[in-house]
Amino acid sequence: MVDKIFYFITVPMVYLAFAWCVVGILWKVIGILRLPKQTHTLKIFPEKPAAGLRATLEAFTMPSVRRHQPVLWFFLGVFHLGILGLILSHLDLLPQINIMPAESKHMLGNGAIGVAVTVSVLYFLLRRFRTPVREISVPADYLILFLLFLIFITGDTISWANSWNPDGFMLTKQDFGLYLNSLAHFTFANPRDLLSGSHYVVIVIHVLLANLLLLALPFSKIMHTFFAVPLNRLRRV
Amino acid sequence: MDETRKQELIKTLSSRLNQAMRMYLDSCTRCGTCIEACHAYASEPDIKYSPVGRAQNIRRLYEKYFKGAGKLAPWLSEAIEFDDAVMKKVYDTAYTCTGCRRCVTYCPFGIDTQQIQSLAKQLLIVADMEPKVLSMLADMSIAKGKNIDKTKDSFATAVSNLEEEVLERWRSEAGAKAVPLDVQDANVLYIALAGKHSIIPAASIMNAAKEKWSLSYFEAVNFGAFVGNPQKTKEIADRIIQEATRLNVKEVVICECGTAYRVMKYMTGEHPFKVISFIELIARYLKEGRIKLDKAKLQGQKVTYHDPCQLARNGGVYEEPRYILSHLTDDFVEMTPTREDNWCCGGGGGLVAMGEKDFRMKSAKVKVDQFTATGAQVLSTACENCHTQLSDLSEHYKTGVKVEYLSDLVSKALVRE
């Protein structure tokens, strides 16, 4: 029974969560595009040259946060760059992509990216318990951060546990690559046959939590990912 | 609250959900960066006066009626339904927001609290909970527009009574009207406020510059914008647009009123005439050498300038007032922070018209600290709301700082060659 649950989490649920997430994002974005546009300018002055480019840059570099909340800005920077690093490092698991050398046993960043995002998200979470941010926070804010924290900490555990064996890696980048490749090719192979480590349960939990994040994403404030640039353009262009 | 009223409110909320509003309400991560941006919070730290705190009521209502999660698990986002208690909270946050948009410069996304509060104000109008004085003033403006032919003569008489005071400041050419009305094909249609303080200095300056100008029958201030009623805002602005079109003027020049300037320049679409502020016109006269100013009038007094939010941060008029001041004094000092970071005076958004003196004085303590830190004896500004609020603040906190309209300083310093 447990094997069946593990299989459902690591294969069919991944597809379902991914499809749900893509459809949810499209539904949301298209829904907004179909609404009327703002009728008058929402620009902030003074006008600055290359306003469109500036707005895009501001969306990514958050200069206002750097000015007013430098510590938050530091962790936001680490977090967002870390997320980018994690996306790349997971894609790098596929045999067709070789950001790290094909023979490398490590994922991109050698586990450091995971630690960086874990520390960052822990900072965001703890910050929410302090005044005045506590007063503006709602349960969903804590839950999404807690979910991210759990995803990252299980990811860190997988990364760390890979070197438990004194003779070398129990599970390597190549092993995880086989699992991801089977997902990408819809082979519906059981990951247990590919991933033999004793910490397989942690991998299943990691995938389950990631699935939950994908399911929640279109309806969460993570949607700011898609709106940060257009919103900054409203302010500048 | 009865069901019919609730449905009306949901319908109104829905009608305001355009692209920008949906993105604002969906994207706020409640990071808290904006909290310190609001002068009211900085003066009196209460989270309901922070930009994010002000937006929370509307966001919670939006979550309840327009998001699945808010319907299925309202506890997650603290989604709430319309009721009288909620609307009371909406009132507390909407009509204490001056709409200065300082928080827009803090938010990493540029979420516009003024827009969210304008939605809140519209909900309060539907709930019949808006400040009645603002609605009444807006209605009076609209009624004046509809009955202008009946009031034209009395307005002309009142204006002619001001001519002597204008001539005391600047003696015009013989036979020329000191305050002209209904001038066809004028270069400038000047839109004043209801009061001679915004007519006399302006008239003397335009006469000194030998401008072909005409005074509008209508006052600039738009109470429709203050109360948050888009229809009334449009009707009030339309009176001026129709007059300017009828007279075939080249430029509509808005007096020292930030909201009137922003509404006319940026919120009423394209016009067959140009819209500028009176401050821009004065700066142009100085650049063209059409007027000259005597610095001796402010000799021995340090002068600072308060950028009205609607004119500067929301209107782009930053350099012109400083250029004018460079012709008025050699002892000018900037406030800190300044320009787009300048603190709001705390009197905008209809607060001055509503009275609310106790709140205005408490919520703008940070402004008092800012202008007193300059050591200036004269605090100049270019907006009536700001002038009233800053004067009240100076008096309330006994700062000894004199608050002056920039146009009045210019008018009194005019040099006849």
Side-chain angles (χ1 to χ4, degrees):
Chain A
M1 184 63 186
V2 171
D3 286 346
K4 280 183 181 169
I5 293 171
F6 279 14
Y7 176 76
F8 175 75
I9 290 168
T10 51
V11 182
M13 192 183 179
V14 173
Y15 292 127
L16 290 172
F18 195 76
W20 172 277
C21 183
V22 171
V23 171
I25 290 168
L26 286 174
W27 183 70
K28 189 101 179 181
V29 171
I30 291 168
I32 287 177
L33 286 174
R34 290 174 63 185
L35 289 170
K37 287 186 175 172
Q38 181 70 23
T39 51
H40 67 266
T41 182
L42 295 171
K43 226 186 314 191
I44 283 285
F45 294 89
E47 287 178 291
K48 294 183 178 158
L53 180 65
R54 190 184 181 87
T56 308
L57 275 175
E58 283 185 355
F60 288 106
T61 59
M62 302 169 284
S64 62
V65 185
R66 186 184 66 227
R67 246 180 101 190
H68 303 294
Q69 304 260 346
V71 177
L72 174 64
W73 178 79
F74 171 77
F75 283 108
L76 283 172
V78 170
F79 177 78
H80 285 94
L81 287 173
I83 294 288
L84 187 66
L86 287 179
I87 292 169
L88 289 176
S89 65
H90 281 72
L91 287 174
D92 190 40
L93 292 174
L94 291 166
Q96 299 85 341
I97 299 171
N98 288 304
I99 300 171
M100 291 286 277
E103 65 277 10
S104 169
K105 291 176 178 176
H106 291 289
M107 284 176 74
L108 184 67
N110 292 358
I113 297 174
V115 173
V117 291
T118 309
V119 172
S120 302
V121 90
L122 195 59
Y123 169 76
F124 301 146
L125 193 55
L126 293 176
R127 188 173 169 271
R128 289 233 167 256
F129 287 97
R130 289 189 60 200
T131 297
V133 184
R134 186 177 58 186
E135 278 84 2
I136 55 170
S137 301
V138 298
D141 298 334
Y142 295 97
L143 281 175
I144 203 84
L145 287 172
F146 191 58
L147 178 59
L148 284 170
F149 176 72
L150 291 179
I151 293 170
F152 296 153
I153 206 81
T154 49
D156 293 337
T157 308
I158 295 165
S159 181
W160 174 49
N162 282 346
S163 58
W164 277 353
N165 189 331
D167 300 325
F169 280 74
M170 284 173 71
L171 287 170
T172 63
K173 175 175 173 286
Q174 288 77 14
D175 297 324
F176 290 115
L178 291 173
Y179 165 45
L180 208 62
N181 203 37
S182 78
L183 281 175
H185 288 89
F186 297 93
T187 65
F188 291 90
N190 190 342
R192 193 54 178 140
D193 300 336
L194 307 168
L195 303 170
S196 57
S198 58
H199 57 289
Y200 182 70
V201 65
V202 183
I203 297 167
V204 174
I205 293 170
H206 181 69
V207 174
L208 172 66
L209 294 167
N211 288 342
L212 292 177
L213 180 69
L214 288 173
L215 292 170
L217 194 148
F219 312 100
S220 74
K221 60 187 186 176
I222 301 176
M223 284 304 288
H224 74 255
T225 312
F226 302 93
F227 303 141
V229 172
L231 281 175
N232 268 283
R233 285 181 67 86
L234 280 175
R235 169 169 61 175
R236 290 292 174 205
V237 184
Chain B
M1 180 177 287
D2 62 47
E3 194 55 35
T4 314
R5 174 61 53 83
K6 214 181 259 191
Q7 289 308 317
E8 282 174 348
L9 289 167
I10 296 169
K11 203 174 150 192
T12 305
L13 180 54
S14 171
S15 73
R16 288 293 301 263
L17 294 178
N18 62 13
Q19 289 183 1
M21 190 62 72
R22 277 288 298 270
M23 288 194 287
Y24 289 153
L25 296 172
D26 280 336
S27 297
C28 179
T29 59
R30 288 172 289 283
C31 68
T33 307
C34 64
I35 289 176
E36 302 281 344
C38 181
H39 63 279
Y41 182 88
S43 300
E44 207 176 354
D46 181 334
I47 206 68
K48 75 178 177 187
Y49 296 138
S50 68
V52 57
R54 289 179 193 278
Q56 284 292 68
N57 295 322
I58 299 302
R59 188 193 55 74
R60 285 174 173 146
L61 289 163
Y62 163 71
E63 297 267 356
K64 178 68 198 172
Y65 297 108
F66 298 94
K67 287 189 83 174
K71 288 174 185 162
L72 296 171
W75 60 272
L76 261 175
S77 54
E78 296 180 351
I80 46 174
E81 285 186 37
F82 281 112
D83 64 32
D84 293 331
V86 167
M87 291 309 288
K88 170 77 179 63
K89 283 186 188 172
V90 172
Y91 184 97
D92 285 346
T93 52
Y95 287 106
T96 54
C97 173
T98 60
C100 73
R101 300 176 82 226
R102 190 171 190 263
C103 48
V104 180
T105 69
Y106 273 59
C107 175
F109 307 119
I111 292 174
D112 194 329
T113 304
Q114 188 198 39
Q115 282 297 298
I116 298 173
Q117 294 318 306
S118 104
L119 191 166
K121 287 180 176 184
Q122 212 174 337
L123 292 173
L124 289 160
I125 292 168
V126 171
D128 196 27
M129 287 174 71
E130 85 282 15
K132 293 293 176 278
V133 62
L134 295 182
S135 279
M136 190 188 74
L137 289 166
D139 290 340
M140 280 168 65
S141 294
I142 293 166
K144 185 180 171 186
K146 286 176 180 161
N147 301 300
I148 189 62
D149 290 333
K150 291 177 188 164
T151 58
K152 264 186 171 179
D153 289 343
S154 58
F155 184 77
T157 307
V159 164
S160 68
N161 292 336
L162 301 177
E163 296 214 328
E164 199 50 46
E165 286 184 72
V166 175
L167 293 173
E168 279 171 21
R169 295 202 185 193
W170 189 269
R171 182 71 47 189
S172 305
E173 310 284 322
K177 291 276 285 177
V179 187
L181 284 164
D182 266 331
V183 180
Q184 195 67 33
D185 301 322
N187 292 329
V188 166
L189 177 67
Y190 176 71
I191 320 296
L193 290 163
K196 63 180 186 179
H197 63 282
S198 89
I199 299 175
I200 291 167
S204 63
I205 294 165
M206 286 187 281
N207 291 342
K210 298 188 173 52
E211 186 62 88
K212 184 182 178 185
W213 70 283
S214 186
L215 176 67
S216 170
Y217 283 102
F218 302 108
E219 72 287 347
V221 64
N222 196 316
F223 289 107
F226 286 149
V227 75
N229 187 320
Q231 183 55 34
K232 287 182 182 175
T233 304
K234 186 178 177 306
E235 284 181 49
I236 292 168
D238 278 349
R239 306 166 315 158
I240 298 166
I241 295 166
Q242 283 159 15
E243 185 186 25
T245 309
R246 176 175 61 81
L247 293 175
N248 191 33
V249 299
K250 289 193 179 82
E251 288 182 316
V252 164
V253 176
I254 307 292
C255 66
E256 289 162 296
C257 176
T259 300
Y261 173 71
R262 185 169 184 234
V263 168
M264 190 57 74
K265 176 134 185 167
Y266 295 111
M267 297 166 76
T268 52
E270 297 288 316
H271 308 300
F273 47 83
K274 202 176 160 193
V275 178
I276 64 167
S277 74
F278 189 54
I279 298 304
E280 290 169 285
L281 188 67
I282 299 173
R284 191 204 297 165
Y285 290 159
L286 284 167
K287 278 178 190 160
E288 292 172 353
R290 291 168 70 177
I291 57 170
K292 286 198 165 46
L293 305 178
D294 179 8
K295 286 186 176 174
K297 298 284 178 187
L298 286 169
Q299 195 69 44
Q301 296 179 87
K302 191 182 273 189
V303 184
T304 189
Y305 177 71
H306 164 75
D307 277 303
C309 301
Q310 305 304 337
L311 196 63
R313 189 183 301 112
N314 304 326
V317 183
Y318 287 106
E319 302 308 327
E320 293 83 353
R322 286 163 177 82
Y323 180 74
I324 295 166
L325 282 160
S326 72
H327 285 75
L328 280 168
T329 179
D330 291 324
D331 197 3
F332 171 70
V333 58
E334 284 281 4
M335 291 191 204
T336 305
T338 187
R339 294 177 182 252
E340 70 177 296
D341 298 326
N342 182 37
W343 284 111
C344 172
C345 68
L351 273 169
V352 164
M354 286 158 63
E356 301 288 346
K357 193 165 177 188
D358 185 47
F359 176 77
R360 284 194 286 120
M361 296 303 103
K362 283 182 189 161
S363 64
K365 176 72 174 65
V366 70
K367 185 74 210 178
V368 180
D369 295 341
Q370 185 198 15
F371 71 70
T372 51
T374 63
Q377 289 87 41
V378 176
L379 167 54
S380 59
T381 191
C383 169
E384 185 179 62
N385 255 331
C386 300
H387 185 277
T388 307
Q389 167 73 353
L390 293 168
S391 301
D392 286 350
L393 286 172
S394 187
E395 189 188 326
H396 181 81
Y397 288 98
K398 298 181 175 48
T399 67
V401 176
K402 199 172 175 204
V403 184
E404 299 278 12
Y405 286 106
L406 198 47
S407 66
D408 203 32
L409 293 176
V410 169
S411 169
K412 286 173 178 163
L414 285 170
V415 176
R416 185 180 284 274
E417 292 201 79

